[in-house]
Amino acid sequence: FRNKSVDFLFTCQTLEHVERPDKACSEIVRVAKRGFIDVPRITSEMHMGHSEHRWYIDYIDKTLVFRRKPATTVVSPYFGSYALNAYSFDPETALMVEYYYRNVSCVQLLWENSFFYKVLEWK
Protein backbone atom coordinates (compact mmCIF):
# COMPACT_ATOMS: atom_id res chain seq x y z
CA PHE A 1 0.00 0.00 0.00
CA ARG A 2 1.12 3.55 -0.63
CA ASN A 3 1.66 5.91 2.31
CA LYS A 4 -1.65 7.13 3.81
CA SER A 5 -3.61 5.34 1.07
CA VAL A 6 -6.10 3.80 3.55
CA ASP A 7 -8.75 6.19 4.89
CA PHE A 8 -9.60 4.14 7.99
CA LEU A 9 -7.94 0.98 9.31
CA PHE A 10 -9.79 -1.19 11.83
CA THR A 11 -7.92 -3.89 13.71
CA CYS A 12 -9.64 -5.98 16.37
CA GLN A 13 -7.97 -8.69 18.46
CA THR A 14 -4.98 -8.91 16.12
CA LEU A 15 -1.88 -7.18 17.48
CA GLU A 16 -1.58 -9.56 20.46
CA HIS A 17 -0.77 -12.31 17.93
CA VAL A 18 1.97 -10.68 15.85
CA GLU A 19 5.67 -11.42 16.33
CA ARG A 20 6.78 -7.78 15.95
CA PRO A 21 4.11 -5.33 17.18
CA ASP A 22 6.46 -2.39 16.60
CA LYS A 23 6.68 -3.30 12.90
CA ALA A 24 2.91 -3.86 12.69
CA CYS A 25 2.15 -0.50 14.33
CA SER A 26 4.68 1.26 12.13
CA GLU A 27 3.00 -0.18 9.03
CA ILE A 28 -0.47 0.72 10.31
CA VAL A 29 0.62 4.35 10.82
CA ARG A 30 2.35 4.42 7.43
CA VAL A 31 -0.57 3.22 5.32
CA ALA A 32 -3.58 4.63 7.22
CA LYS A 33 -4.81 8.17 7.81
CA ARG A 34 -6.75 7.14 10.90
CA GLY A 35 -8.03 4.02 12.57
CA PHE A 36 -9.24 2.01 15.52
CA ILE A 37 -7.31 -0.61 17.48
CA ASP A 38 -8.91 -3.09 19.87
CA VAL A 39 -6.64 -5.44 21.87
CA PRO A 40 -6.99 -7.30 25.18
CA ARG A 41 -5.82 -5.25 28.14
CA ILE A 42 -3.05 -6.74 30.30
CA THR A 43 -5.39 -7.25 33.26
CA SER A 44 -7.87 -9.36 31.30
CA GLU A 45 -5.04 -11.23 29.59
CA MET A 46 -3.57 -12.15 32.98
CA HIS A 47 -6.92 -13.40 34.28
CA MET A 48 -8.37 -15.18 31.30
CA GLY A 49 -5.87 -14.84 28.51
CA HIS A 50 -5.13 -17.16 25.66
CA SER A 51 -1.92 -19.13 25.32
CA GLU A 52 -1.61 -18.13 21.65
CA HIS A 53 -1.39 -14.43 22.57
CA ARG A 54 2.23 -13.25 22.56
CA TRP A 55 1.87 -9.88 24.31
CA TYR A 56 0.55 -8.16 27.40
CA ILE A 57 -0.79 -4.82 26.16
CA ASP A 58 -1.97 -1.66 27.85
CA TYR A 59 -2.42 2.03 27.10
CA ILE A 60 -0.19 4.07 29.39
CA ASP A 61 0.54 7.80 29.10
CA LYS A 62 -1.02 7.96 25.62
CA THR A 63 1.17 5.09 24.45
CA LEU A 64 0.22 1.57 23.37
CA VAL A 65 2.65 -0.54 25.42
CA PHE A 66 3.56 -4.13 24.55
CA ARG A 67 5.36 -6.56 26.89
CA ARG A 68 6.12 -10.10 25.72
CA LYS A 69 4.23 -12.72 27.72
CA PRO A 70 6.29 -15.27 29.60
CA ALA A 71 6.55 -18.73 28.05
CA THR A 72 4.14 -20.08 30.67
CA THR A 73 1.21 -18.06 31.86
CA VAL A 74 -1.00 -18.98 34.79
CA VAL A 75 -4.48 -17.52 34.57
CA SER A 76 -6.94 -17.03 37.40
CA PRO A 77 -9.51 -19.85 37.36
CA TYR A 78 -11.92 -17.75 39.43
CA PHE A 79 -12.08 -14.67 37.24
CA GLY A 80 -12.14 -16.73 34.06
CA SER A 81 -14.93 -18.96 35.38
CA TYR A 82 -17.00 -15.97 36.41
CA ALA A 83 -16.62 -14.27 33.05
CA LEU A 84 -17.30 -17.43 31.07
CA ASN A 85 -20.34 -18.25 33.18
CA ALA A 86 -21.77 -14.78 32.57
CA TYR A 87 -21.36 -15.28 28.82
CA SER A 88 -22.68 -18.85 28.85
CA PHE A 89 -25.76 -18.52 31.00
CA ASP A 90 -26.99 -15.02 30.33
CA PRO A 91 -26.53 -13.92 26.71
CA GLU A 92 -28.28 -10.59 27.29
CA THR A 93 -25.89 -9.68 30.12
CA ALA A 94 -22.96 -10.81 28.01
CA LEU A 95 -24.02 -8.48 25.19
CA MET A 96 -24.54 -5.60 27.61
CA VAL A 97 -21.10 -6.13 29.17
CA GLU A 98 -19.50 -6.38 25.73
CA TYR A 99 -21.20 -3.18 24.57
CA TYR A 100 -20.88 -0.95 27.65
CA TYR A 101 -17.72 -2.22 29.34
CA ARG A 102 -15.43 -3.54 26.60
CA ASN A 103 -12.94 -0.76 27.41
CA VAL A 104 -12.42 -2.39 30.82
CA SER A 105 -11.12 -5.64 29.35
CA CYS A 106 -9.70 -4.20 26.14
CA VAL A 107 -7.66 -1.23 25.04
CA GLN A 108 -9.72 0.68 22.49
CA LEU A 109 -7.70 3.27 20.66
CA LEU A 110 -9.25 5.62 18.12
CA TRP A 111 -6.41 7.47 16.43
CA GLU A 112 -5.77 10.00 13.68
CA ASN A 113 -2.50 10.67 11.79
CA SER A 114 -0.43 8.57 14.20
CA PHE A 115 -0.26 7.01 17.66
CA PHE A 116 2.54 6.25 20.10
CA TYR A 117 3.61 2.67 20.76
CA LYS A 118 6.55 0.88 22.33
CA VAL A 119 7.73 -2.62 23.10
CA LEU A 120 9.23 -3.05 26.57
CA GLU A 121 11.31 -5.81 28.07
CA TRP A 122 10.50 -7.08 31.57
CA LYS A 123 12.96 -5.83 34.19
Side-chain angles (χ1 to χ4, degrees):
F1 294 98
R2 292 185 323 271
N3 292 349
K4 301 298 182 193
S5 60
V6 176
D7 287 329
F8 191 89
L9 191 143
F10 176 85
T11 177
C12 183
Q13 304 296 306
T14 305
L15 293 176
E16 66 274 15
H17 295 276
V18 302
E19 180 60 37
R20 295 285 311 271
D22 53 338
K23 296 280 188 184
C25 290
S26 174
E27 189 67 3
I28 287 169
V29 168
R30 184 188 71 76
V31 302
K33 297 173 186 172
R34 64 190 63 80
F36 181 81
I37 295 172
D38 180 282
V39 290
R41 195 176 291 279
I42 185 173
T43 49
S44 62
E45 186 66 33
M46 286 182 161
H47 288 292
M48 52 184 214
H50 299 279
S51 59
E52 67 272 10
H53 293 175
R54 296 177 180 202
W55 301 97
Y56 287 131
I57 308 168
D58 216 336
Y59 193 65
I60 303 168
D61 296 329
K62 299 182 181 180
T63 303
L64 197 57
V65 178
F66 296 83
R67 287 188 176 92
R68 186 174 294 280
K69 285 175 61 175
T72 58
T73 303
V74 177
V75 298
S76 165
Y78 303 111
F79 187 83
S81 297
Y82 170 76
L84 291 176
N85 284 336
Y87 281 93
S88 300
F89 298 117
D90 187 1
E92 290 179 16
T93 299
L95 286 173
M96 182 200 65
V97 168
E98 187 73 18
Y99 182 80
Y100 289 106
Y101 301 107
R102 185 167 179 87
N103 64 326
V104 172
S105 64
C106 295
V107 172
Q108 295 187 310
L109 175 61
L110 182 63
W111 61 274
E112 188 165 345
N113 299 319
S114 185
F115 60 91
F116 297 109
Y117 55 89
K118 63 183 169 185
V119 178
L120 298 178
E121 297 296 325
W122 290 106
K123 295 181 182 183

